[in-house]
Amino acid sequence: MEDLEQLAEIVVNTLPREDDNVEEDGEEENGEEEEEEGDGDAEMNDMFYDLNIALPEAAGKPNGSMSSQEWARVIQTIEQARELGYSVVALNQVISGKLTPDHLKIWTAMPNMSNAQLSWSLQTGKRTLKECGSVSKVPRNGIRVLRRVTALISEADHGHSVSGTVTSNEYDLVAVRPLNEKMLMAASGGSWTNIDMISLDMAARWGFFAKHKTVGQALSLGYALEISYQGALDSNTRHQWVSNTAAVVRVTRGRNLVWTSGVQRAFDLRSPYDVTNLGDAVQLNKDLTKRGYYITMDTLLDVARETGVSVDSAEFAQAMDARDPLQTLRSEFAMPTVAQVTDNVEGSSEACTYLCGNSLGLMPHAARRAVNEEMDEWAHRGVVGHHRHTHARPWIGYRDRVVELMAPLVGAGIDEVGVMNALTVNVHLMMAAFYRPTGRRTRVLLEAHAFPSDHYAVESQ
């Protein structure tokens, strides 16, 4: 853990701040950029999000207020986020206790910004996201500003006040921060509906552990877990931040994580790519870190707009399918019908819901063609196919081609992967080669309902 903390400190201290004076080839940047040709409202190529620009503590109180200087700092932070390449930010109002309509009054006091699209009306404080258009499209050189509320939950009633109420529906994002293990279990188990994120204070001592079962429930319900890097910027809290963040990364395996800043001051913001480097400090690879402020957030925001759709409904599943960039691949697989898998000739002709890919995946249509090509090769060329193949796939070297495809999937080098046999055979070979029981460490733990052949392989040692 000390090594991780040192790495985090190095990363934080080397990240650029807003007052850094960057020069290239002896010439200072003049701040002018050439605009690309095209419509000014064209969609940006990269969409980066910071869903937690924190408002002052006073903003979270009913009928709370902010001074003109505080609003000026908020606008400065939004401008800095835009300069760093963020397309969407969310202003976070943290409340303690129950959410009431009085909490919305503060949003009418925000000064207007010419280059920002707000998701609410400054006159009425009401949500106007439809007037802003799709959240996935942001005008060039502009920024979308959303409203977020985070409820500090110490009692169940506090969670109910942000659970699909008229007031909570005025916010684009609703998050809860459980203050004890009981409330974390309640939030992760779906006790409160229409919650988008579960936020934990990564810089504080929790007094409980983030358990696999609890966090797994949250992930299965589609909730995102927030990691704010503000705690990593302070040397006094950095050790605790690294410890807590590494624990969350470990139990989630990098899934459904949302990286945010959680900062109030503009010079505390970091660019998206600097956040990626910070993820290295908690042993999270760059692709998974990027998903936390790019891919995951894009999906989160789109789904959050669809109020009234439960995450366990067919409508939610269909909406997610429609957003899936791999949706076109479905047609490349043979989908058994309900009648076929039930042996009922009078059953439904609709495709079944297939959830057995762990045992045997669906057959790609291309597989039949590939197998037939090999059968033809065997029939027409015989042993010659070992070295000279009509389709440039000589059998003698199949292993090398398969390993090149497998290595990236398992995160290993080509010289570290072997593709051979079936599972039971490999279990037997592995134990025959490496199982050398000595002393008291002589027992093998095996799942009770594993395939019988796997039991035979273990028991034969």
Side-chain angles (χ1 to χ4, degrees):
M1 189 59 66
E2 292 181 358
D3 293 338
L4 292 179
E5 184 181 1
Q6 292 173 0
L7 177 57
E9 183 173 4
I10 292 172
V11 171
V12 169
N13 291 338
T14 56
L15 298 182
R17 295 181 178 271
E18 69 164 353
D19 54 356
D20 287 345
N21 188 17
V22 181
E23 298 183 6
E24 296 182 4
D25 299 328
E27 297 181 3
E28 295 187 0
E29 293 183 349
N30 57 15
E32 298 179 358
E33 299 180 357
E34 296 183 3
E35 294 187 2
E36 298 180 8
E37 296 181 0
D39 191 320
D41 290 333
E43 185 176 353
M44 301 178 68
N45 292 329
D46 289 326
M47 300 288 291
F48 297 121
Y49 303 85
D50 185 352
L51 299 185
N52 188 354
I53 292 181
L55 295 181
E57 183 178 353
K61 299 178 179 179
N63 295 311
S65 62
M66 289 172 54
S67 66
S68 58
Q69 291 82 3
E70 288 175 324
W71 277 119
R73 282 196 293 270
V74 170
I75 292 177
Q76 182 184 22
T77 305
I78 296 173
E79 289 286 357
Q80 178 68 4
R82 185 179 65 85
E83 292 292 332
L84 290 175
Y86 291 97
S87 305
V88 179
V89 297
L91 301 183
N92 187 19
Q93 184 182 21
V94 181
I95 68 168
S96 180
K98 295 182 179 180
L99 178 66
T100 69
D102 290 335
H103 284 101
L104 291 170
K105 296 179 180 179
I106 194 171
W107 296 101
T108 60
M110 178 175 173
N112 194 19
M113 296 180 64
S114 58
N115 60 344
Q117 289 186 341
L118 307 183
S119 67
W120 71 96
S121 167
L122 292 178
Q123 286 71 39
T124 65
K126 295 293 184 179
R127 189 180 182 200
T128 58
L129 193 60
K130 292 183 179 180
E131 299 176 13
C132 295
S134 171
V135 81
S136 297
K137 295 183 178 181
V138 179
R140 189 179 302 280
N141 297 326
I143 191 168
R144 174 71 46 75
V145 182
L146 307 177
R147 287 193 299 191
R148 166 182 165 179
V149 62
T150 299
L152 304 181
I153 306 294
S154 58
E155 300 176 9
D157 288 346
H158 300 165
H160 294 311
S161 71
V162 294
S163 180
T165 64
V166 174
T167 302
S168 66
N169 287 339
E170 291 294 334
Y171 291 87
D172 304 294
L173 291 169
V174 177
V176 294
R177 174 170 289 181
L179 300 182
N180 54 59
E181 187 174 17
K182 182 179 179 180
M183 292 300 100
L184 175 60
M185 294 176 64
S188 301
S191 295
W192 307 300
T193 59
N194 290 6
I195 300 300
D196 303 304
M197 283 190 288
I198 296 177
S199 174
L200 295 173
D201 187 353
M202 296 297 170
R205 291 186 178 274
W206 296 339
F208 56 88
F209 295 102
K211 299 178 181 178
H212 284 273
K213 182 177 180 180
T214 303
V215 174
Q217 285 182 319
L219 299 182
S220 67
L221 293 176
Y223 296 147
L225 271 68
E226 179 182 24
I227 295 179
S228 293
Y229 60 76
Q230 181 198 22
L233 305 180
D234 188 342
S235 60
N236 295 320
T237 59
R238 186 172 300 141
H239 178 85
Q240 192 64 49
W241 182 90
V242 171
S243 177
N244 290 338
T245 303
V248 170
V249 168
R250 186 165 54 251
V251 297
T252 62
R253 299 179 182 176
R255 296 177 298 154
N256 283 34
L257 295 182
V258 173
W259 286 78
T260 66
S261 67
V263 304
Q264 294 186 24
R265 301 177 299 180
F267 64 81
D268 283 335
L269 278 174
R270 299 295 183 260
S271 75
Y273 298 104
D274 290 330
V275 176
T276 301
N277 293 332
L278 191 58
D280 290 340
V282 290
Q283 299 178 338
L284 187 62
N285 69 53
K286 287 182 169 57
D287 287 339
L288 287 177
T289 305
K290 184 178 179 182
R291 290 182 184 182
Y293 56 80
Y294 179 56
I295 301 172
T296 299
M297 290 187 183
D298 196 12
T299 301
L300 175 66
L301 286 171
D302 286 338
V303 175
R305 290 188 303 135
E306 299 177 2
T307 58
V309 177
S310 174
V311 294
D312 59 357
S313 66
E315 292 81 3
F316 180 86
Q318 292 165 356
M320 296 300 292
D321 281 346
R323 291 183 177 86
D324 190 348
L326 302 179
Q327 59 177 297
T328 57
L329 297 180
R330 178 186 175 91
S331 62
E332 298 186 15
F333 292 83
M335 296 288 290
T337 65
V338 174
Q340 289 170 332
V341 298
T342 58
D343 296 324
N344 182 2
V345 294
E346 298 181 357
S348 173
S349 59
E350 295 183 358
C352 71
T353 300
Y354 194 84
L355 302 177
C356 299
N358 63 303
S359 180
L360 181 63
L362 294 174
M363 187 196 78
H365 293 303
R368 188 187 302 275
R369 180 180 67 252
V371 169
N372 287 337
E373 288 176 352
E374 298 307 319
M375 297 299 287
D376 291 341
E377 188 74 9
W378 184 12
H380 299 152
R381 296 174 65 83
V383 72
V384 175
H386 279 301
H387 300 281
R388 298 197 307 275
H389 194 282
T390 304
H391 302 285
R393 298 192 298 263
W395 301 327
I396 200 72
Y398 83 93
R399 174 194 171 280
D400 295 332
R401 294 191 303 277
V402 176
V403 163
E404 290 176 358
L405 298 174
M406 180 61 69
L409 293 180
V410 299
I414 294 178
D415 58 344
E416 299 173 326
V417 176
V419 181
M420 59 185 186
N421 307 316
L423 174 60
T424 299
V425 176
N426 285 337
V427 169
H428 178 81
L429 293 176
M430 179 184 68
M431 296 197 69
F434 301 109
Y435 181 57
R436 297 290 184 269
T438 58
R440 299 177 59 186
R441 300 173 64 86
T442 60
R443 298 181 182 274
V444 176
L445 295 180
L446 180 65
E447 178 191 357
H449 299 290
F451 285 118
S453 56
D454 294 341
H455 276 276
Y456 302 152
V458 173
E459 294 169 359
S460 65
Q461 305 304 317

